[in-house]
Amino acid sequence: MHATYRRSVQGNLRGLMLIFSVLAILSLTGCAVPFFPEVPPSSYSLDAAINVLAGKYYLLDSGHVEGFGGIELGQGRYATFADVDGILLVFKYESEEEAKERWGALTKKYGNPFRLKYFKISMGNYGVFTVRLEKSDLYAWYKDNWLIIVNGDNVERFVQDVNNIYKTIRQ
């Protein structure tokens, strides 16, 4: 009985050490859910999705775009804002399936789980993807029929603000 108890305790300690090690590795590599993705209401146009952000950020430039990094993503809009070292791209599709498919094409091209800063989660009705590229961060998320992409250096705060603004207008 005593030997069985000792093996049971040793097994539990090994399990706890394994869990602790995995959690430590995940925290060191930055693999944590960066945010729960929010998007504009479906009634919003591409222009409205960008202009709503101009309440917090001064809009410098905006125009039409059809893709990102050589990937055809459909008709969208890009925007640059003052005090943001990056670009925002917004795409609206006919269906959630199309948004998910285009997000999947983007994550397939840029996804590399061996990068130091990498995160991808697909929950069926939304997806979040972040990766560190050469000299910039890429954030992409889809939900409903929207695909949102932010690419730039030190854009974490901007991404959070965009997400919070979209969350606020959906309420």
Side-chain angles (χ1 to χ4, degrees):
M1 175 86 171
H2 183 65
T4 305
Y5 176 74
R6 187 178 322 145
R7 278 182 283 188
S8 174
V9 169
Q10 287 176 341
N12 287 340
L13 286 175
R14 285 186 192 134
L16 286 173
M17 289 301 293
L18 178 64
I19 290 170
F20 177 75
S21 299
V22 168
L23 290 175
I25 290 170
L26 289 177
S27 67
L28 288 174
T29 60
C31 290
V33 178
F35 56 90
F36 182 78
E38 295 293 343
V39 295
S42 60
S43 61
Y44 269 48
S45 67
L46 291 168
D47 289 333
I50 289 173
N51 290 337
V52 72
L53 302 172
K56 177 155 183 134
Y57 291 93
Y58 181 76
L59 181 62
L60 295 175
D61 188 26
S62 179
H64 296 281
V65 67
E66 294 182 6
F68 175 80
I71 303 170
E72 177 63 39
L73 297 173
Q75 295 295 317
R77 300 280 296 178
Y78 76 88
T80 57
F81 296 91
D83 301 323
V84 176
D85 187 17
I87 187 168
L88 169 76
L89 297 103
V90 180
F91 299 89
K92 185 177 180 183
Y93 302 103
E94 295 295 320
S95 68
E96 180 181 321
E97 291 78 28
E98 188 177 0
K100 183 178 181 178
E101 179 183 307
R102 302 295 174 100
W103 177 82
L106 184 75
T107 63
K108 184 176 181 180
K109 178 173 181 174
Y110 292 105
N112 182 349
F114 298 110
R115 291 186 185 248
L116 188 57
K117 183 177 180 182
Y118 173 86
F119 179 82
K120 178 181 175 184
I121 184 169
S122 180
M123 296 301 290
N125 61 344
Y126 71 87
V128 177
F129 174 69
T130 67
V131 67
R132 177 76 180 166
L133 301 174
E134 294 294 319
K135 296 180 180 180
S136 67
D137 291 318
L138 174 64
Y139 289 81
W141 65 97
Y142 83 89
K143 186 176 177 185
D144 300 335
N145 59 332
W146 291 93
L147 172 62
I148 313 296
I149 301 170
V150 177
N151 181 236
D153 196 22
N154 297 319
V155 292
E156 294 83 8
R157 182 74 210 147
F158 178 67
V159 168
Q160 291 297 329
D161 287 343
V162 168
N163 202 52
N164 289 336
I165 290 168
Y166 288 160
K167 180 180 180 180
T168 301
I169 62 174
R170 286 182 67 97
Q171 294 177 350

